Each structure stands twice: as structure tokens, then as C-alpha cells.
Amino acid sequence: MKKMLLLYLVIIGAYVLYALNFFYGKSQSAGAGDSAALVGSLDEKYVMVTFQSGIDYWKSVIKGFEDAAQVLGVSVEYRGSTQYDVREQVTVLEQVIAQKPAGIALTVMNPEALTPSIDKAVDAGIPVVLFDSGAPDSKAYSLLATDNYNAGVTAARTMARLIGGKGEVGVVTLPNQLNHQERTNGFRDTIRSEYPEMTIVAVEDGKGDRIVSRDAAIAILDQYPDVKGIFNTDAVGGVGVADAVRLRQRQNQVKIVAFDTDKVTLDMVRQGEIDATLAQGTWNMGYWSLLYLFHLHHGLVTPDSGQTADASPLPVYVDTGISVVTRENVDHYYVK
Amino acid sequence: MKKMLLLYLVIIGAYVLYALNFFYGKSQSAGAGDSAALVGSLDEKYVMVTFQSGIDYWKSVIKGFEDAAQVLGVSVEYRGSTQYDVREQVTVLEQVIAQKPAGIALTVMNPEALTPSIDKAVDAGIPVVLFDSGAPDSKAYSLLATDNYNAGVTAARTMARLIGGKGEVGVVTLPNQLNHQERTNGFRDTIRSEYPEMTIVAVEDGKGDRIVSRDAAIAILDQYPDVKGIFNTDAVGGVGVADAVRLRQRQNQVKIVAFDTDKVTLDMVRQGEIDATLAQGTWNMGYWSLLYLFHLHHGLVTPDSGQTADASPLPVYVDTGISVVTRENVDHYYVK
């Protein structure tokens, strides 16, 4: 009897073994086909390189990069020049290239200065994608950034909603910078084509400075007593515009649309001093930069895509979008 | 002794069982960290919906969609109206919505007709992304398509390379369709800003028809004996332009830049009758559409992205890019 029992146990054990093997084998292939291709290894290190590395603006980009690393099971590292110093950024990028990482996500302070290093990395087989600001003549595979013209379109529609689609509005901007020109153009074109009862009465230079922007807004408020709203196109000036409106006690008459989500701007949105600010899709920049680099590193897009050496195997440009921050949703936009 | 042998066998069996269990458990988690997030299941079905479903143009889009399904381990299905018939496309889309798929990738024949069904799907919790042509006022999360203006820029640079950067050029286009206007504008603006020794002498209507395009090209060739090149902006007319150049025996004097990669166009590129044609990033449209739908279905982009309900959790627009097809690389562009 005992012999038989043991024999049964062996047979049962072998069966369980077989079943278990079958089950695990089955569950793996059902889950992932023959190719769990989007699963990396922690040995793979992707590096993000910025400039002015301490500013709030990058925090959400880094969060997106880290979230993608978690999803893919790979490692990431974050480097940057501490100052707004292009030579320092080139030095940092060169150091990163020397480490031979699996890929580099880079935001470009100055295209002329950085293009040679970008091309050097790509020529050495290190994939490079750009985010937030690009280098059009470089060999980088893709740019993930805000379409600034579209951001201006959103600003115009937001302003129209705030002032009921009619009245005079002003703009405080940096008229000599391309991205700010594009924001202003999108704002202007949309008002012309969609809001015939709105007029832009003034476009002033705020120089990206709180005090200068405040004075520019005061000039608009004093010259145009009926002005209903001011759109500020940069991350710093919106707070200055709010200062101006408070100083001139026009809080109930003038609506403000600001840009970006610096803490002081969000605080003013929460307090109702700024009516809306435009948040860039910074998380998307970081997240999809890493997805793209992973695809390049693993050769997932080149071989069967019908593309050739003269074309980027990836989408060349991604508009990471804009969302409108108001008092109702402002709490979501503070960086955790 | 036999008893002991059996006992050993049981113990060894149990150990192997344990080791196997440990090994499979380990290999799964080692491969994917704690989160093999980009691994789906074959129960998940994503559907692509087109119109004129038989045409060559979609083949590479479908290939991209299928390649992504392979990578993610999910199922895909392909549906479409057989004709260029918007009511049929609406009917097909409504049938697909009724199946409650994991996500829908749709190309939009007519935005007004399809927007209500798109919004209905999104409201029912079915993610929708658009490719190739969009519906700007719909609730779809993203559009993945060619930036037609940029395509025109590439056409101008390609033409400049072919004719040595100087001389008269003509355009055969569909002047009443927005995407073709954008291609022509990109072409014109680039010649004006980058090639001061080139001039556009004629922009003719080819009506997207081989014979009409041939006659339009003949008119240009006869009126401008020094014309050095013709850019045709649609998928069909380039072949007609080549017919015209052959009929007038100007093969060695007039360069042709065509659009898209229909088989007959590719054959003419191979034979040297068309000098270059522009290939859209159709594989990318299909591949990244499915990646986006997968992220939406699995809630990978919404929760921690700092985005709110009024914003798309994904990049709103992706320029899937253009590549230049010439005799050297034409073989890569035939659909396998």
C-alpha cells in the first residue's frame, strides 16, 4: 500500500510539474505573444540632458521620463547644466556621450552650439531625441514640443470665453523671440477669424521680466480704459500683469491669461488674481521621449517600417499640446 | 530500498516543482520589473477603420498597426467602407462601436459626418485616435498625420537638389483642397526663402486625374520652354505629368517630383521617368495609433500625468513625416 501511495505521489507530482510548466508557458505566450518587445532591462540607461536644471519647468518632464522607465523596466539618469550657459550644456552632453548610454533625450538651448555634439552621438549609434526646443538641422530623430502657434489659438479661445467673446484685449510678450511671436500670431489670427467683436489694441514688450511686464501692462491699462483682457505669453510676466491690474484696481474688469505653471503663477490662479494659465504637455515630452529612444535602441522601428536611411524612422514632430489651468483644476498642476 | 527510492523521487519531484515555480516567477519579474505595463492580452481587440479600404495607401498603415499588435501582444481587426462613401463609413464605425472594442483608430473621410459617432465612442469610454486625416472639433484624443506644409518644404528642397537650385518650375495640384493648398504653400514659401534663383511660373489644376494632370503639364511645358521641373502634389497626377514629359520628349530637361507611393508611381521612379516621389509616414500612423490606444485603454497616461479632463492626455498632433523616394531606394517602398 505504501509503495502504491508513493507511486501515486510521484505520478501526481510529475503531473503537477507538467501542468505548472504548461500553465506558465501558456500564460507567458498569451500575455506577450512571442515578443514581449516593450520590456527592457535595468542595464539599459537612458539619459535626459537639460539646461538651467533647477527650474520647476523640467520637473514634470522628468516625471514623464521616470514613469516611462518604470513602465519599460529600464534605468534613467538626469543631467543638465545648472546655469543658462550653452558651453556648460555642451560639456555635459559630451560627458554623457562618452558614457555610451542607450539613448539621450535633450532639450536644446542653442541649436548652432549643440548640433555637432548631437550629430556625433547619432553617428556613434546613440539615439537622440529632442524635447521642448529643437535643433532642426541636426541628426536627432524627433522633436517633442509645444506648437506655439496652437498655444496662441488656445489662449485666444480661453480669453474669448472669459470676456464673453467681445471687447479690447492686449498682449504682453517677448516680440523678438520666435516662440513668443508664434504664440502672439496664433492669438491674433484666431481673434481675427473667430471673434469679430474682439480687437487687439496693444502688443507690448515685457522682456520676460516681472517688473517690465507690470509696467507694460500698466501702460495698456492707462491708455485703454475699456480693455477687457491681457494675454501674457511667457512664464514670468503674467505675475507682473496681475500686479498691474491690482495696482490699478481693475481686478473685476480685466481678465488675465498667463503661460506656464510656475508656482507663483499657480498661486495667483488659485487666489483668482490670474484667470487662466496655459500648461504645456511637459509630462508627455518626457514620457514619449523615452518611448521613442527605447524603440530606436531596440531597433523596433527601423527594419520593417519601409523607411530608409534618409528618413527618420520615427514621427519627426510631436505637438505635446496645451491644457488650460483655472481655479477649478489648478491643484492638479502643482508639482508633487 | 525501493521505498527509499520512491521517497527520493517524490522529494526530488517536489524540489524541481519548487525550482520551476521559482524560476518562472523570477524570470517574469526580472524581465519586466514590477510592471510589465506594455504587455497586453489577446482578448483586447483594437479596430482600425478606413474608407476606400482596398487602396494601396492603407497597406503600410495596417502593417504598422499589426506590428504594434505583435509587440504589445493584443488583437487587431481591420474594417472600412469599400467605397469613397461617407454614409457607409459612418455605418461601419457605428457597428464597430457596438462591439465595444478596446480602442478605435479612424481616418476621417468627412469631419462633419463622423464627429457625432467619434464623440459617442469617447463618451462610451472607447478611446479613439485619428490618423491621416482628422476631425478637429471631435473628442478624439490625437491626430497622427502628415504635416502637408512640411511635405511641400521637402518637395521644394528635393526639386532644388534635382535642378541644381536654379530655374523655372511648375506645380500641378488640386487647388481647392486644403491639404494640397498646404503642400503648394510649403513648396512656394521654401523656394522664395531658400532658393532665390528658382521661380514658380505656373500652378495648374490636375483634378487628381492622370489625363487632366497630363494635359495641365503639357500646357506648362508648351508655355514655358525653359521649365526645369514640375511638382505634382497628389498620388495620381505625377504619372500624368510623366506622360506629358515623355510625349513632349523633354525627359532630359524636366525633373518630376511626385507624391505618394502607388505602384505605378514607384514603377516610374524605378524606370527613371519620375525623379522622386514623397512617401508619407504611413507605417508610423498605424504603429503609434495602436500605442496611443493601448495607453488610453490601460489608463497609463491619465492618472499621473498632471493632465485634466479638458486636455488630451496624449500629444494632440503627431507629424508622421515624409521621406524622399528615388531610384536608389525605391525597392524598399513596394508593399510586401
Side-chain angles (χ1 to χ4, degrees), chain A residues 20 24, chain B residues 15-29:
Chain A
L20 199 71
Y24 274 115
Chain B
Y15 176 76
V16 169
L17 198 66
Y18 171 78
L20 199 70
N21 192 359
F22 180 79
F23 171 75
Y24 275 114
K26 183 90 174 175
S27 77
Q28 281 195 322
S29 71

Side-chain angles (χ1 to χ4, degrees), chain B residues 142-160:
Chain B
S142 190
L143 168 64
L144 302 100
T146 303
D147 183 313
N148 284 297
Y149 184 91
N150 287 346
V153 172
T154 301
R157 290 177 182 159
T158 304
M159 182 63 83

Side-chain angles (χ1 to χ4, degrees), chain A residues 24 31 39 70 287 295 317 319, chain B residues 21 31 35 39-40 287 295 317 319:
Chain A
Y24 274 115
V39 179
Q70 176 72 17
Y287 187 89
H295 277 76
Y317 172 68
D319 176 10
Chain B
N21 192 359
S35 55
V39 179
Y287 186 89
H295 276 77
Y317 172 67
D319 176 10

Side-chain angles (χ1 to χ4, degrees), chain A residues 2-3 6-7 9-10 13 16-17 20-21 24 27-28 30-33 35-40 63 67 70-72 281 283-284 287-288 291-292 295 300-301 304-308 310-311 313-324 329 332-333, chain B residues 2-3 6-7 9-10 13 16-17 20-21 24 27-28 31-32 35 37-42 63 67 70-73 281 283-284 287-288 291-292 295 300-301 304-308 310-311 313-324 329 332-333:
Chain A
K2 273 187 185 164
K3 272 188 200 173
L6 282 169
L7 187 64
L9 275 175
V10 171
V16 170
L17 198 64
L20 199 71
N21 192 1
Y24 274 115
S27 77
Q28 280 198 321
S35 55
L38 299 185
V39 179
K63 180 71 164 61
D67 284 353
Q70 176 72 17
V71 158
L72 295 166
W283 185 90
N284 273 320
Y287 187 89
W288 295 101
L291 262 284
Y292 280 11
H295 277 76
L300 290 168
V301 279
D304 296 307
S305 63
Q307 305 286 5
T308 53
D310 62 330
L314 287 171
V316 289
Y317 172 68
V318 177
D319 176 10
T320 42
I322 278 286
S323 56
V324 181
N329 62 10
H332 297 291
Y333 288 86
Chain B
K2 274 187 186 167
K3 269 189 201 173
L6 282 168
L7 187 63
L9 276 174
V10 170
V16 169
L17 198 66
L20 199 70
N21 192 359
Y24 275 114
S27 77
Q28 281 195 322
S35 55
L38 298 186
V39 179
S41 110
L42 293 173
K63 180 71 164 60
D67 284 353
Q70 175 73 15
V71 159
L72 294 166
W283 185 90
N284 273 320
Y287 186 89
W288 295 102
L291 262 284
Y292 279 12
H295 276 77
L300 291 167
V301 278
D304 295 307
S305 63
Q307 304 287 5
T308 53
D310 63 330
L314 287 171
V316 291
Y317 172 67
V318 177
D319 176 10
T320 41
I322 279 285
S323 56
V324 181
N329 62 12
H332 297 291
Y333 288 86

Side-chain angles (χ1 to χ4, degrees), chain A residues 52 55-58 132 148 172-174 177 179-180 183 206-211 213-214 231-243 256-269 274 276-280 282 322:
Chain A
Q52 284 186 293
I55 62 173
D56 276 4
Y57 183 74
W58 306 126
D132 196 58
N148 285 296
V172 176
T173 184
L174 286 88
Q177 282 193 24
N179 53 344
H180 294 277
R183 291 172 192 175
K207 297 190 193 298
D209 178 86
R210 180 169 177 171
I211 306 293
S213 297
R214 182 196 67 190
F231 169 41
N232 187 96
T233 69
D234 77 289
V236 172
V239 174
V241 174
D243 294 339
I256 301 171
V257 176
F259 217 97
D260 286 327
T261 54
D262 286 11
K263 186 175 179 302
V264 55
T265 304
L266 294 178
D267 288 346
M268 285 198 170
V269 170
I274 289 175
T277 192
L278 302 184
Q280 300 190 58
T282 42
I322 278 286

